[in-house]
Amino acid sequence: MSRTAMLGALVAAALLPSSVQAQTPPRRPVVTAASPDGSLVVTVTTDNDGRATYSLSRKGKLLIGASKLGFTLTDGLAMVRGFRITGSETASADSTWEQPWGERRFVRDHHNELLVRLEQNADYGARRMNVRFRLFDNGFGFRYELPEQPAMKTMKIADEWTEFSVAQPGTAWWIPGGEWNRYEQVYQKTPIDAVSTAHTPITMRLDDGTHLAFHEAALVGYSGMWFKRADGQLFRSTLAPSSRGARVIRDLPFNTPWRTVRVADNAAGLVENDLELNLNEPNKIGDVSWFKPMKYIGIWWGMIRGDWTWAEGPRHGATTERTKQYIDFAAKNGFGGVLVEGWDKGWNGDWFGHGQDFSFTEPTPDFDLKAVTAYAAKQKVQLIGHNETGGNIANYEAQLEDAMKLYQSLGMHAVKTGYVADAGGIIAPGDKPGETRMEYHDGQRQVAHHLKVVETAAKYRIAINEHEPVKDTGLRRTYPNWIDREGARGMEYNAWGQFANGPDHEPTLVYTRMLSGPMDYTPGILSLEGANHVPLASTLAKQLGLYLALYSPIQMASDFIESLAAHPKELQFIRQVPADWSESHLIAGEVGDFAIFARKDRNSEDWYVGGVNGHTARDVTLAMDFLDPGKTYIATVWKDGEGATYETDARHRIAYATLTVKKGDKLPLWLAPGGGAAIRLHPGK
Ligand code: NOJ
Ligand code: CA
């Protein structure tokens, strides 16, 4: 351990003798701790008003200036002033743990820890709170720990007043927090001091090149944190609201989620960073080998585009016949699953706003659930269930256990859920039978709901993929059946408007939304068009690059099967590309501009390289330094064809190549506007 780290956590200078105090104000305790290599240093102290503050520096340069800690309460004096530090403790750890599936197999957790004990004086209510900091070389996290105490049994949090005073100017990539469309928005790029209230992760690049991403880890029993700019570059947490007034109500003792900051020299350092996973608890549900990462197709794009309907009728998508056709296609092409939406009762009429009508166990008359699941099993394909709740969790929770039990009995192992309702439009059970209350998608009640779904599903060996979810905070480590979620603008928007997501959307997601965890983006629209032929802001090669840029352990090939079949060479890549990796590296990229990954298959010696480009064409030279030494690889390349651009019909131009490469080689690659690339590297004989 470095010298700074060993010196870490020193509580300095108690009160000076009273004769000196007459001229000099009393010095307050200052507690510090450093990351294992000494580069990140946190300093905790209290100000004149007894307000606890922390600051963070890196290699001696301030990143986060003095930032206050605390809470306001709905039933008492704020826990902001009158604090003194009563003690501190340190610890350190260095261990490596294994992920059942993911972007990498092994994750190193190397950190130093500092626990600071704080107590308010009697005038302010004599409440105690501890703050635990964990410092890694590439980021840090801290959480409040509220111990059992005589002065408070239940904490009713009006809001959390954690500050983040960003010390240097720079650029931010963010989406607004609390906006009605939840997380499904196009990212904004603004100066840091032009952010309003943002969801996390929010990503920043300081003018000196330092990259930061603010987020949270282990969001359990609490409300999601929004990142609200108070003034200049000073941000403050504000929690998603609750119908109960207090935004969080908890009996003591309890811990808040971790507030996290990734810190890196470059974009790759932000992406190859397991901070939030390391701040979550280890696996609590045991063996999940029943869930296998896979690719899937679905009866989906037809409804999203409006060709088919979720509702029963002549254009009903989820018919027995069509499902069998999709199962046949899946079996023939090695897809593990077939998602079927609109298979259940409740979609007739205007389903938006009528979540109370959904049944999660009764199929429509033209969908023979038993026959279809038996047919799938015979072909070694799984049916992926779909539970659209319309945001009515009162209705869903009442059926949850029966639904999961049914799906397990039918051999299903994955369910996609959905919560289509405006932000604040979640309908939760009230206090009395029959009563309901309205909640936010990321409020404490909905956070509890998601965990209930995931825990219930785990009992029945079912994995959950949520749409309109609460943001990911690394809980897949604790609940590895929580396989992925939406939580951003997905492919669906491209069905509804020309260039709807824009060419820069995916190379922005890589460095923002994706820092929180896997996403069900649903790539693979090989036709490159949505409803009424509206074009995607994508070349054909980019649709393949998405499988490498946006990680998920279940990756959809979301186009109609006829369109997939009409692109045999592209389908070949989608068939081959894994959804589970032993290593992942961002080998070229800048926030919002482009992102090229190298990922190694968890189940073979193959490497895959590829990713996505924004609106500007660019030449990149990819260093093949990641390859295993002493091997020659056959590289099969899918890349933007000459003159390809998302802007015209030239978006369909794709080029193919086969070459041999070895470790250390340099591979030049041209990326079209809105383009991308995908390369499979298979060791030759
Ligand atoms: C929105 C989801 O994102 C989409 O995938 C789904 O098909 C619809 N809701 C209907 O549930
Ligand atoms: Ca959605």
Side-chain angles (χ1 to χ4, degrees):
M1 196 188 283
S2 73
R3 191 167 158 269
T4 339
M6 282 194 299
L7 287 176
L10 82 144
V11 176
L15 292 183
L16 297 171
S18 54
S19 57
V20 184
Q21 275 182 34
Q23 300 99 31
T24 336
R27 276 207 281 149
R28 289 174 295 275
V30 176
V31 188
T32 72
S35 66
D37 71 2
S39 61
L40 281 184
V41 175
V42 69
T43 304
V44 185
T45 187
T46 48
D47 72 5
N48 287 339
D49 250 354
R51 290 177 295 191
T53 68
Y54 76 94
S55 59
L56 183 78
S57 64
R58 181 169 189 245
K59 298 176 188 163
K61 200 167 172 186
L62 199 61
L63 286 181
I64 301 180
S67 299
K68 296 189 242 344
L69 298 163
F71 302 91
T72 47
L73 307 178
T74 58
D75 60 349
L77 285 179
M79 290 176 68
V80 172
R81 288 185 165 75
F83 277 108
R84 69 193 168 89
I85 294 176
T86 58
S88 67
E89 287 162 30
T90 57
S92 49
D94 189 358
S95 61
T96 296
W97 54 279
E98 187 175 353
Q99 302 204 81
W101 48 263
E103 303 94 317
R104 58 190 65 80
R105 181 161 174 200
F106 295 107
V107 176
R108 185 175 177 199
D109 174 358
H110 189 196
H111 68 258
N112 289 337
E113 183 173 287
L114 168 68
L115 178 75
V116 182
R117 298 184 192 285
L118 292 150
E119 190 169 330
Q120 275 180 306
N121 64 43
D123 293 347
Y124 282 101
R127 271 110 18 138
R128 290 190 284 126
M129 76 180 183
N130 302 329
V131 186
R132 188 180 299 273
F133 296 86
R134 279 201 189 148
L135 290 117
F136 301 75
D137 294 333
N138 57 4
F140 95 126
F142 59 93
R143 71 178 180 196
Y144 299 89
E145 301 187 351
L146 282 301
E148 243 178 284
Q149 49 192 290
M152 189 167 51
K153 296 282 167 242
T154 300
M155 192 167 168
K156 295 187 177 163
I157 302 177
D159 215 343
E160 184 188 308
W161 289 71
T162 304
E163 290 184 347
F164 305 86
S165 177
V166 181
Q168 300 167 40
T171 305
W173 287 262
W174 58 285
I175 52 170
E179 211 262 358
W180 68 269
N181 206 15
R182 309 166 305 268
Y183 307 101
E184 296 180 14
Q185 305 178 49
V186 173
Y187 276 78
Q188 305 190 37
K189 177 184 178 186
T190 68
I192 294 171
D193 63 6
V195 174
S196 57
T197 298
H199 276 301
T200 71
I202 171 171
T203 296
M204 296 179 188
R205 184 168 60 213
L206 306 182
D207 287 351
D208 74 356
T210 307
H211 287 61
L212 303 176
F214 297 84
H215 189 42
E216 59 181 308
L219 172 52
V220 175
Y222 208 79
S223 286
M225 176 183 79
W226 301 345
F227 206 70
K228 180 178 180 175
R229 195 170 63 84
D231 182 31
Q233 298 211 147
L234 174 67
F235 291 84
R236 214 170 265 151
S237 60
T238 183
L239 302 176
S242 158
S243 66
R244 292 175 192 272
R247 294 180 178 208
V248 171
I249 302 179
R250 284 293 291 274
D251 290 336
L252 275 59
F254 78 94
N255 302 330
T256 69
W258 297 88
R259 279 65 192 90
T260 62
V261 190
R262 293 189 187 189
V263 183
D265 284 325
N266 50 38
L270 269 195
V271 171
E272 294 178 49
N273 193 315
D274 300 305
L275 178 65
E276 289 80 10
L277 283 176
N278 276 328
L279 291 171
N280 272 275
E281 301 289 321
N283 181 346
K284 277 192 185 160
I285 62 168
D287 175 49
V288 281
S289 56
W290 45 263
F291 166 71
K292 304 258 181 283
M294 63 174 167
K295 284 153 295 170
Y296 71 102
I297 56 172
I299 298 183
W300 178 73
W301 188 237
M303 279 87 94
I304 289 292
R305 284 190 10 149
D307 309 64
W308 306 333
T309 59
W310 284 281
E312 295 162 52
R315 291 190 295 122
H316 188 209
T319 63
T320 303
E321 196 194 334
R322 181 172 291 120
T323 308
K324 286 186 172 171
Q325 211 188 333
Y326 269 67
I327 291 168
D328 290 341
F329 185 87
K332 188 170 159 221
N333 292 288
F335 289 98
V338 175
L339 165 75
V340 186
E341 297 199 1
W343 65 275
D344 55 334
K345 291 193 175 158
W347 293 91
N348 296 347
D350 188 3
W351 61 271
F352 186 98
H354 292 93
Q356 74 278 2
D357 295 338
F358 284 113
S359 164
F360 303 103
T361 52
E362 289 173 274
T364 57
D366 54 349
F367 184 76
D368 188 338
L369 179 59
K370 279 208 175 123
V372 156
T373 45
Y375 188 80
K378 237 192 253 161
Q379 310 232 42
K380 300 208 172 4
V381 171
Q382 284 175 36
L383 207 72
I384 300 178
H386 183 236
N387 291 170
E388 174 56 62
T389 67
N392 191 319
I393 64 169
N395 180 38
Y396 189 35
E397 288 185 359
Q399 300 182 50
L400 187 60
E401 194 86 32
D402 288 347
M404 295 297 162
K405 204 182 283 177
L406 171 70
Y407 308 151
Q408 185 189 38
S409 75
L410 295 168
M412 290 159 59
H413 280 303
V415 170
K416 168 177 169 180
T417 59
Y419 299 86
V420 176
D422 289 349
I426 293 291
I427 301 171
D431 295 329
K432 297 196 193 112
E435 267 183 19
T436 54
R437 40 173 74 242
M438 305 300 285
E439 301 291 355
Y440 269 78
H441 281 74
D442 47 356
Q444 186 181 7
R445 182 59 181 85
Q446 184 68 344
V447 165
H449 167 77
H450 286 299
L451 194 54
K452 184 185 171 114
V453 172
V454 164
E455 285 182 318
T456 308
K459 276 202 308 196
Y460 297 102
R461 301 188 147 205
I462 286 172
I464 296 294
N465 162 22
E466 299 158 348
H467 279 231
E468 301 76 41
V470 61
K471 63 186 168 183
D472 198 346
T473 55
L475 283 163
R476 62 175 152 143
R477 178 177 180 188
T478 317
Y479 305 95
N481 68 322
W482 206 333
I483 49 174
D484 75 345
R485 54 191 105 194
E486 185 186 41
R489 259 171 100 97
M491 180 65 80
E492 58 185 356
Y493 283 82
N494 289 327
W496 304 326
Q498 164 152 335
F499 303 153
N501 283 347
D504 298 336
H505 184 56
E506 298 94 343
T508 305
L509 286 180
V510 167
Y511 306 95
T512 51
R513 159 65 183 82
M514 298 311 292
L515 303 183
S516 71
M519 178 176 177
D520 190 34
Y521 185 75
T522 73
I525 297 298
L526 304 183
S527 68
L528 303 179
E529 58 179 43
N532 306 315
H533 307 293
V534 292
L536 272 57
S538 168
T539 64
L540 189 51
K542 185 177 193 171
Q543 287 302 304
L544 305 186
L546 286 170
Y547 290 87
L548 295 161
L550 306 180
Y551 174 68
S552 172
I554 55 165
Q555 285 283 24
M556 191 173 195
S558 49
D559 212 337
F560 294 108
I561 52 177
E562 293 77 9
S563 174
L564 297 174
H567 295 85
K569 286 193 166 151
E570 288 66 40
L571 181 58
Q572 178 66 11
F573 171 79
I574 297 173
R575 288 175 59 148
Q576 289 173 336
V577 66
D580 193 18
W581 307 100
S582 58
E583 285 178 55
S584 290
H585 307 284
L586 184 92
I587 58 168
E590 291 296 345
V591 182
D593 293 338
F594 71 114
I596 306 288
F597 284 86
R599 302 190 192 263
K600 187 175 187 187
D601 182 11
R602 176 118 34 142
N603 300 304
S604 78
E605 291 303 303
D606 294 351
W607 280 89
Y608 283 77
V609 169
V612 290
N613 188 31
H615 68 279
T616 313
R618 74 185 70 239
D619 286 297
V620 292
T621 304
L622 302 175
M624 299 285 117
D625 297 341
F626 53 86
L627 289 172
D628 299 320
K631 285 195 174 121
T632 303
Y633 294 81
I634 313 293
T636 317
V637 183
W638 292 256
K639 59 181 181 181
D640 291 323
E642 208 183 317
T645 170
Y646 78 91
E647 292 156 304
T648 67
D649 276 351
R651 70 182 69 86
H652 296 277
R653 285 185 203 163
I654 191 163
Y656 311 102
T658 306
L659 34 137
T660 19
V661 292
K662 52 183 188 338
K663 185 180 172 73
D665 284 355
K666 303 261 184 277
L667 204 74
L669 187 69
W670 177 75
L671 297 166
I679 306 173
R680 174 179 185 242
L681 294 138
H682 179 66
K685 293 258 161 57

